[in-house]
Amino acid sequence: MILFSRKNLHYSDYKWTAYVQHDPRVTGKPDETLFNKEEGNEMVYLINKLMSLWDYRFSNTGNKMEKLIHDKLPAEITKQDEVQVWLKENLKF
């Protein structure tokens, strides 16, 4: 289920790379795959996946996630599963 899409993104400074089908950067579960917060497809994928995993249903929650990742994700956090842990610790409502 798609809860958050490109049209929901707050920022517009993303790169939009075409990925092959089943590329782990934009499919599957968040794992040790490298994450590039400057890549729009990866941002949308990860936000969507985490919203689904954590049962968040509103796009404004996705926007909070995006803003945190975009603006505050530490440079040393480079993998999808690390982003997931960091975001869960830092996402406040």
Side-chain angles (χ1 to χ4, degrees), residues 11 15 20 31:
Y11 297 101
K15 297 176 214 157
V20 297
D31 57 17

Side-chain angles (χ1 to χ4, degrees), residues 2-11 16 44 59 63 66:
I2 302 287
L3 301 168
F4 191 84
S5 68
R6 183 177 181 166
K7 69 179 175 72
N8 298 115
L9 289 170
H10 175 76
Y11 297 101
W16 295 95
V44 169
S59 63
N63 288 123
E66 177 197 9

Side-chain angles (χ1 to χ4, degrees), residues 14-32:
Y14 297 107
K15 297 176 214 157
W16 295 95
T17 304
Y19 291 102
V20 297
Q21 190 174 8
H22 305 297
D23 188 307
R25 294 173 288 183
V26 292
T27 61
K29 296 181 193 173
D31 57 17
E32 292 189 0

